[in-house]
Amino acid sequence: PSSSVAKLLELKAQLGGDDGKQTFVLKTAKGTRDYNPKQMAIREKVFNTIVSCFKRHGAETIDTPVFELKETLTGKYGEDSKLIYDLKDQGGELLSLRYDLTVPFARYLAMNKITNIKRYHIAKVYRRDNPAMTRGRYREFYQCDFDIAGQYDPMIPDAECLKIVYEILSELDLGDFHIKVNDRRILDGMFAVCGVPDEKFRTICSTVDKLDKMLWEDVKNEMVKEKGLTEEAADQIGEYVSMQGGMDLAERLLHDPKLSQSKQACAGLTDMKQLFSYLQLFQITDKVVFDLSLARGLDYYTGVIYEAVLCQTLQAPTPAPAEQNGAVSGEEGGVSVGSVAGGGRYDGLVGMFDPKGRKVPCVGVSIGIERIFSIMEQKAELSAEKVRTTETQVLVASAQKNLLEERLRLTAELWNAGIKAELLYKKNPKLLTQLQHCEETGIPLVAILGEQELKDGVVKVRNVATREENSQKNNLQFKIHRSSSQQYREHLECIDHC
Amino acid sequence: PSSSVAKLLELKAQLGGDDGKQTFVLKTAKGTRDYNPKQMAIREKVFNTIVSCFKRHGAETIDTPVFELKETLTGKYGEDSKLIYDLKDQGGELLSLRYDLTVPFARYLAMNKITNIKRYHIAKVYRRDNPAMTRGRYREFYQCDFDIAGQYDPMIPDAECLKIVYEILSELDLGDFHIKVNDRRILDGMFAVCGVPDEKFRTICSTVDKLDKMLWEDVKNEMVKEKGLTEEAADQIGEYVSMQGGMDLAERLLHDPKLSQSKQACAGLTDMKQLFSYLQLFQITDKVVFDLSLARGLDYYTGVIYEAVLCQTLQAPTPAPAEQNGAVSGEEGGVSVGSVAGGGRYDGLVGMFDPKGRKVPCVGVSIGIERIFSIMEQKAELSAEKVRTTETQVLVASAQKNLLEERLRLTAELWNAGIKAELLYKKNPKLLTQLQHCEETGIPLVAILGEQELKDGVVKVRNVATREENSQKNNLQFKIHRSSSQQYREHLECIDHC
């Protein structure tokens, strides 16, 4: 039935409306957006900060296709699998759009038998989720992933991932933040000693994961009424998940009479102590909290997990209605942007792809860039500074008519000299129009051609902001002799910087 | 039936093979590939060249989603529409992966009522074509598009597009190339005066488009036997499409007794003369050929069209079997990479999206980057120079045991000073292992910690290539006093550059 609807829609589009024009909705797909030049300028700035950090830590980069064989994604995301976009079966393989960059990374490692790599990957991923675009939640969105694969001594790469989150969030200047840390083994050990049956570990874990959006009362209700846990077990869990601290808490829990019964929990707590000792060397413990309520949704984590949260709230452009999409209500009236980075250790994922099940231990972090974009865009809106969307240094203009050929010739000379130059695509544009173009787009210099300049073999260069044309005081040559490319470049760069 | 196959495959994947392991094919989807770090390094270099050129010409950049409403793509690509990837109907809108960047650009302009813009867009597009990956033909591939939209005086933006192709292909240093130019109006006028019925213009145009891959004999056969053209008409077309030249040819054809009967052809020829006069000012006529056999596949062109072809041939990694995918056999034994850039004027496309049919004239060019990557990769293979995939400046190493904490502390100091630094994630790596890591990955410097250095409060820095540790002759400080970040940076950068 859906395919006949498609055919009807297609026919309708081809036939068009009553006026002979095609009638269709002019929009992007639900949950997606275009980036205009201003948004792109902000996006590039954010990417540069993130990529610089990844490179500072010695990472290589890879890329994978936007779609994978459907079976590559099967069984990796638990309950979230329903959010995967499938491609239509047009004959051939069954394909799905990637849901994250971690599973394709693991597939890449197994396929190429790579056992050691430190790589970053910045690309779009796809989730058929309920979009909440004013808060930076989209169906198509960027992830910026950094992962370290290899058999190493415990907690050293894990600590570096946290250092990276710390560096990036500090450099982006997004206000105060903190990074919650926990360990899947501590969670599992806690469930075991609280009397949760083995087969309910994952589902109880998903319920605990909702603690950042729901009150404990409601989380407990879900555990007891929906998932059949005893009230006693739920209360014991409740005690543990309210705990927060640092290395001291890990030390204390290692001696907790109940939790220390679990070998798993002890292994996790010992590693947590080790992790904090490295974080102290990195001097980043001021922002890191060992938080037993952190659970994280994805199935594939096996050890340390973490999540970074901004303390700042984001002003929603339109008054947000009742929260439906799991976003947190901000305490200060705005809307909390919530988690902006997350990750953890997943030592079993690569093995799921290896024909012989050989494991490659991995740990990584994903920066949730869309929420960061939203904040940066709002900042740009509020700021008086105008965002330039081109880098043009000089506009080649004419003061008189019939100088198109001269303008074209000079512009080409500038391009050939590596100078960013533009001209208006009109035969006889008014000088005022040309100057207005400079002011609108922020071009700092205008090279003005006139009969006299052509006769003298010079070009008059004007600083658009100051309107200076021939100042001797800065010892600048505002009239450039049209000679070598090298001289052009030197002259213009000098004028541009002064 | 296809959905039950899908279910069976999924079940099979879940159940796994006899040994309890999952059995599935470990591969990327047909016609797609991963980029490994070395390929990414080459890709970034090519992108940098291209983006620099686009920015030098004053372009902004935008981005659009990877999928569009299916109806947005309907009726834009003629016979090629069958190559569009559709998404599965999972409830909601019917979506397709973008086939090029031009249609999404036109949709963007109409949707945002933009009538003037010069923008570039670099992104992946998707075509369910027969892949020929050894020659750089993929189902997922990058396009690098530059377009100028707006009502301007004739041929000025068109000439700039050709200048851009010329600059990029020259800078990428891919060997000799030429750019063929023609005009849809000249083609249509030619068809008219040769007696092709109006309704056969587009289909005969597609046949002419095959002239770069087929002999004239075969093209003629297709026109006469498959498409029902008279032999006389075909022969007349044959005479025209064998013509090549420059401004002189346009001038001559304006006086051609037959062709000059067509108003359309005359308009195209007059513009062609104008175009060549601008190309002369840009000094690029040495590579541009007015070629009446150039037709281009896409439906939406309305004026000037062009295509750049490399003269160089590409050595196929494996002996290529019979050519099936339309690639040209090279004359020198290798495989011609064929067209590496193409584009033209499309004045009607934006109007197809505007509810009132308002037109926005556009002209643009698309750089076919995958073929360029193939060539660059082969060049890198043949070159002795090793491609570095990281930018790490210094490895923090230790000469003795039990110095992990000192290594971590120093590495963090370097990161905080903005220096690209790494350490091995082992508690007690051998010095030799650490030095080998530098040699394998091209890290130029190693900072070696030992008991004595720690006591003295200094770090010994070794140049990996020269093994110099303490040379006075260059007046370099190979022992750095661990003081301020700024000093670190200055010292290391100095050492790195010397």
Side-chain angles (χ1 to χ4, degrees):
Chain A
S2 61
S3 71
S4 44
V5 169
K7 267 181 201 146
L8 280 171
L9 280 172
E10 205 169 305
L11 270 173
K12 200 184 149 208
Q14 282 165 5
L15 289 170
D18 298 334
D19 55 353
K21 295 278 176 297
Q22 297 196 0
T23 54
F24 49 68
V25 193
L26 200 55
K27 67 186 283 294
T28 60
K30 186 182 174 190
T32 69
R33 63 158 170 174
D34 296 318
Y35 283 82
N36 66 33
K38 213 180 247 179
Q39 291 165 330
M40 286 300 280
I42 293 167
R43 184 172 117 177
E44 282 186 15
K45 213 181 123 201
V46 174
F47 280 162
N48 281 342
T49 304
I50 292 172
V51 169
S52 297
C53 177
F54 292 160
K55 287 188 173 174
R56 193 161 60 239
H57 286 261
E60 312 179 284
T61 186
I62 68 161
D63 195 17
T64 64
V66 80
F67 45 67
E68 295 278 343
L69 298 187
K70 185 177 166 59
E71 55 184 334
T72 297
L73 307 189
T74 301
K76 309 299 185 303
Y77 301 107
E79 291 175 14
D80 288 344
S81 296
K82 62 181 186 294
L83 303 181
I84 294 174
Y85 277 98
D86 292 328
L87 267 71
K88 191 168 146 184
D89 181 4
Q90 293 170 290
E93 300 158 332
L94 296 172
L95 306 171
S96 302
L97 298 186
R98 61 182 164 213
Y99 182 83
D100 64 10
L101 303 176
T102 309
V103 168
F105 174 55
R107 191 265 309 146
Y108 172 82
L109 295 187
M111 196 173 129
N112 296 288
K113 300 193 173 53
I114 294 166
T115 54
N116 280 287
I117 193 171
K118 176 158 60 175
R119 81 88 183 81
Y120 70 90
H121 187 186
I122 297 187
K124 287 174 177 174
V125 301
Y126 299 87
R127 301 186 183 176
R128 296 179 52 251
D129 216 335
N130 271 328
M133 307 205 284
T134 53
R135 284 189 300 276
R137 287 170 64 97
Y138 294 87
R139 289 182 159 199
E140 173 186 63
F141 58 97
Y142 267 101
Q143 283 197 337
C144 304
D145 279 23
F146 173 96
D147 294 81
I148 300 170
Q151 187 71 55
Y152 299 120
D153 282 322
M155 296 297 112
I156 311 177
D158 314 58
E160 185 169 6
C161 289
L162 293 171
K163 173 82 168 113
I164 281 174
V165 175
Y166 188 99
E167 286 180 17
I168 289 173
L169 295 183
S170 303
E171 279 171 50
L172 288 175
D173 196 21
L174 300 165
D176 202 17
F177 62 91
H178 57 269
I179 309 173
K180 299 181 201 172
V181 187
N182 198 6
D183 192 299
R184 273 283 164 90
R185 292 166 298 172
I186 299 174
L187 280 167
D188 284 354
M190 174 183 88
F191 294 142
V193 302
C194 292
V196 178
D198 284 15
E199 71 277 10
K200 287 190 179 165
F201 277 16
R202 285 281 79 80
T203 182
I204 293 299
C205 192
S206 321
T207 307
V208 169
D209 191 39
K210 298 178 186 169
L211 265 176
D212 58 343
K213 306 155 203 162
M214 277 161 59
L215 293 172
W216 165 248
E217 270 317 297
D218 301 320
V219 167
K220 181 181 166 185
N221 252 337
E222 187 175 311
M223 285 181 180
V224 176
K225 293 188 182 146
E226 282 177 41
K227 308 211 164 163
L229 213 59
T230 66
E231 185 136 350
E232 201 195 344
D235 283 337
Q236 285 184 24
I237 291 172
E239 264 180 56
Y240 282 115
V241 297
S242 68
M243 295 179 184
Q244 293 192 340
M247 194 193 282
D248 53 319
L249 177 59
E251 182 63 43
R252 187 148 50 85
L253 288 173
L254 265 176
H255 298 102
D256 181 87
K258 217 163 36 189
L259 202 54
S260 59
Q261 301 297 306
S262 159
K263 265 192 185 173
Q264 279 222 73
C266 288
L269 289 165
T270 306
D271 275 351
M272 188 62 71
K273 275 178 62 187
Q274 179 81 82
L275 178 66
F276 268 92
S277 78
Y278 295 151
L279 301 182
Q280 276 168 4
L281 292 170
F282 287 165
Q283 300 187 293
I284 59 170
T285 46
D286 58 319
K287 306 274 189 206
V288 185
V289 189
F290 172 28
D291 183 329
L292 276 93
S293 74
L294 178 70
R296 303 235 356 117
L298 296 171
D299 263 17
Y300 48 63
Y301 292 118
T302 55
V304 170
I305 48 176
Y306 33 81
E307 202 165 285
V309 188
L310 297 184
C311 305
Q312 179 204 7
T313 54
L314 180 65
Q315 217 57 40
T318 47
E323 296 301 329
Q324 301 171 341
N325 303 304
V328 201
S329 286
E331 302 93 55
E332 294 154 53
V335 176
S336 163
V337 288
S339 150
V340 289
R345 178 162 281 284
Y346 50 100
D347 289 347
L349 191 57
V350 179
M352 289 175 79
F353 290 106
D354 188 277
K356 292 184 184 159
R358 280 169 298 209
K359 286 189 176 181
V360 176
C362 294
V363 64
V365 61
S366 182
I367 313 288
I369 221 50
E370 304 292 339
R371 294 172 182 201
I372 294 172
F373 289 155
S374 294
I375 297 169
M376 304 290 269
E377 278 177 48
Q378 289 200 11
K379 270 183 154 181
E381 286 291 321
L382 297 172
S383 152
E385 212 181 319
K386 217 176 151 188
V387 180
R388 273 201 78 180
T389 57
T390 71
E391 297 178 6
T392 310
Q393 300 166 289
V394 57
L395 182 85
V396 175
S398 54
Q400 284 127 351
K401 283 201 169 185
N402 300 320
L403 291 174
L404 172 62
E405 296 200 353
E406 292 298 335
R407 281 193 291 133
L408 286 170
R409 199 178 280 133
L410 176 58
T411 309
E413 284 179 46
L414 294 172
W415 287 332
N416 292 346
I419 293 161
K420 294 165 191 152
E422 281 182 64
L423 79 166
L424 295 199
Y425 304 121
K426 293 278 185 185
K427 285 196 164 172
N428 293 307
K430 288 179 187 153
L431 185 57
L432 187 65
T433 313
Q434 297 174 89
L435 293 173
Q436 276 171 343
H437 178 75
C438 291
E439 279 173 6
E440 278 160 19
T441 62
I443 300 175
L445 297 173
V446 54
I448 305 172
L449 287 168
E451 299 294 353
Q452 191 57 48
E453 284 79 11
L454 286 170
K455 215 178 278 171
D456 300 346
V458 298
V459 181
K460 192 161 69 179
V461 179
R462 181 192 287 188
N463 182 314
V464 177
T466 64
R467 303 200 178 178
E468 274 181 309
E469 277 192 10
N470 219 332
S471 155
Q472 297 300 324
K473 57 184 168 190
N474 290 323
N475 217 16
L476 292 179
Q477 280 278 115
F478 276 95
K479 291 205 174 192
I480 297 180
H481 284 272
R482 294 177 60 179
S483 43
S484 76
S485 299
Q486 186 54 32
Q487 282 191 332
Y488 266 127
R489 190 166 8 207
E490 281 165 13
H491 278 299
L492 282 170
E493 282 177 0
C494 172
I495 292 169
D496 194 11
H497 287 123
C498 295
Chain B
S2 62
S3 71
S4 44
V5 170
K7 266 180 202 148
L8 280 172
L9 281 172
E10 205 168 306
L11 271 173
K12 199 184 149 208
Q14 281 165 5
L15 289 171
D18 296 333
D19 55 352
K21 294 277 175 300
Q22 296 196 2
T23 55
F24 49 69
V25 194
L26 200 55
K27 67 187 283 294
T28 60
K30 187 183 174 188
T32 69
R33 63 158 170 173
D34 297 318
Y35 284 81
N36 66 33
K38 213 180 246 180
Q39 291 165 329
M40 286 299 282
I42 293 167
R43 182 172 120 178
E44 281 186 15
K45 213 181 123 199
V46 175
F47 280 161
N48 282 342
T49 304
I50 293 172
V51 169
S52 298
C53 177
F54 292 159
K55 286 187 173 173
R56 192 161 60 238
H57 286 260
E60 311 179 285
T61 185
I62 68 161
D63 194 16
T64 65
V66 80
F67 45 68
E68 294 278 343
L69 298 187
K70 185 177 167 59
E71 56 185 334
T72 298
L73 307 190
T74 301
K76 310 298 186 304
Y77 301 107
E79 293 175 13
D80 288 344
S81 296
K82 62 181 186 296
L83 303 181
I84 294 174
Y85 276 99
D86 291 329
L87 268 71
K88 191 168 146 186
D89 181 3
Q90 293 170 291
E93 300 158 332
L94 296 173
L95 307 172
S96 302
L97 298 186
R98 60 184 165 211
Y99 183 84
D100 64 10
L101 303 177
T102 310
V103 169
F105 174 57
R107 191 266 306 147
Y108 173 82
L109 295 187
M111 195 172 130
N112 297 288
K113 298 193 173 55
I114 295 166
T115 54
N116 280 288
I117 193 171
K118 176 158 59 176
R119 80 89 182 79
Y120 69 90
H121 188 187
I122 297 186
K124 287 175 179 175
V125 301
Y126 299 87
R127 301 186 183 176
R128 296 179 52 253
D129 216 334
N130 270 328
M133 306 205 285
T134 54
R135 285 188 300 276
R137 286 171 65 96
Y138 295 87
R139 289 184 158 197
E140 174 187 62
F141 58 98
Y142 266 100
Q143 284 196 336
C144 303
D145 279 24
F146 173 97
D147 294 82
I148 301 170
Q151 187 72 57
Y152 299 121
D153 282 323
M155 296 299 112
I156 312 176
D158 315 59
E160 185 170 4
C161 288
L162 292 171
K163 172 83 169 115
I164 281 174
V165 174
Y166 188 99
E167 287 179 17
I168 288 173
L169 294 183
S170 303
E171 279 171 51
L172 288 175
D173 196 19
L174 300 165
D176 202 17
F177 63 90
H178 58 268
I179 309 173
K180 299 181 201 171
V181 187
N182 198 5
D183 192 300
R184 273 283 163 90
R185 291 166 298 171
I186 299 174
L187 280 166
D188 284 354
M190 176 182 88
F191 294 142
V193 301
C194 292
V196 179
D198 284 15
E199 71 277 11
K200 287 191 179 165
F201 277 17
R202 283 281 78 81
T203 182
I204 293 298
C205 192
S206 318
T207 307
V208 169
D209 191 38
K210 298 178 185 169
L211 263 176
D212 58 343
K213 305 155 206 164
M214 276 160 61
L215 292 172
W216 165 248
E217 270 315 297
D218 300 321
V219 167
K220 182 182 166 184
N221 251 338
E222 185 174 314
M223 284 180 180
V224 176
K225 293 189 182 147
E226 281 178 40
K227 307 211 163 161
L229 214 58
T230 66
E231 186 136 350
E232 201 196 344
D235 283 336
Q236 286 184 26
I237 292 172
E239 265 179 57
Y240 283 117
V241 296
S242 68
M243 295 179 184
Q244 293 192 341
M247 193 192 281
D248 54 319
L249 177 60
E251 182 63 44
R252 186 148 50 86
L253 288 173
L254 265 177
H255 299 101
D256 180 88
K258 217 162 37 190
L259 202 54
S260 60
Q261 301 296 305
S262 159
K263 266 192 184 171
Q264 277 223 72
C266 288
L269 289 165
T270 307
D271 276 350
M272 188 62 72
K273 275 177 61 186
Q274 180 80 82
L275 177 66
F276 267 92
S277 78
Y278 295 151
L279 300 183
Q280 275 167 5
L281 293 170
F282 287 164
Q283 298 186 296
I284 60 170
T285 46
D286 59 319
K287 307 273 189 206
V288 185
V289 189
F290 172 28
D291 183 329
L292 276 92
S293 74
L294 178 71
R296 302 234 358 116
L298 296 170
D299 263 16
Y300 49 63
Y301 292 119
T302 55
V304 170
I305 49 176
Y306 33 81
E307 201 164 284
V309 188
L310 296 185
C311 305
Q312 181 204 7
T313 55
L314 180 65
Q315 217 57 39
T318 47
E323 297 299 330
Q324 302 172 341
N325 303 302
V328 200
S329 284
E331 302 95 56
E332 295 155 55
V335 176
S336 162
V337 288
S339 150
V340 289
R345 179 162 281 285
Y346 50 100
D347 289 346
L349 191 57
V350 179
M352 289 174 77
F353 290 107
D354 189 277
K356 291 182 184 158
R358 280 169 298 210
K359 286 190 176 179
V360 177
C362 294
V363 64
V365 62
S366 183
I367 313 288
I369 222 49
E370 303 292 340
R371 293 171 183 202
I372 294 171
F373 289 154
S374 294
I375 297 169
M376 304 291 268
E377 277 177 47
Q378 289 201 10
K379 270 184 157 180
E381 286 292 323
L382 297 172
S383 153
E385 213 182 318
K386 217 176 150 188
V387 179
R388 274 200 77 181
T389 57
T390 70
E391 298 177 9
T392 310
Q393 299 166 289
V394 57
L395 181 84
V396 175
S398 53
Q400 284 126 350
K401 283 202 169 185
N402 299 320
L403 292 174
L404 171 62
E405 296 200 353
E406 291 299 334
R407 281 193 289 135
L408 286 170
R409 200 178 278 134
L410 176 58
T411 309
E413 283 179 46
L414 295 172
W415 288 332
N416 293 345
I419 292 161
K420 294 165 190 151
E422 280 182 66
L423 79 166
L424 295 199
Y425 303 122
K426 293 278 185 185
K427 284 197 164 171
N428 293 308
K430 288 179 187 151
L431 185 57
L432 187 65
T433 313
Q434 296 174 88
L435 293 172
Q436 276 170 344
H437 178 74
C438 291
E439 280 174 5
E440 277 159 22
T441 62
I443 300 175
L445 298 173
V446 55
I448 305 172
L449 286 169
E451 299 294 352
Q452 191 56 48
E453 284 79 11
L454 287 169
K455 215 178 275 172
D456 300 346
V458 298
V459 181
K460 192 161 67 180
V461 179
R462 182 191 289 187
N463 182 315
V464 177
T466 65
R467 303 202 178 177
E468 274 180 309
E469 277 193 10
N470 219 332
S471 154
Q472 297 299 324
K473 57 184 170 195
N474 290 322
N475 216 17
L476 293 180
Q477 281 277 115
F478 274 94
K479 290 207 176 191
I480 297 179
H481 283 272
R482 295 176 60 179
S483 43
S484 76
S485 300
Q486 186 54 32
Q487 281 190 333
Y488 267 126
R489 189 164 11 207
E490 281 166 11
H491 278 298
L492 282 171
E493 282 177 359
C494 172
I495 293 169
D496 195 10
H497 286 122
C498 295

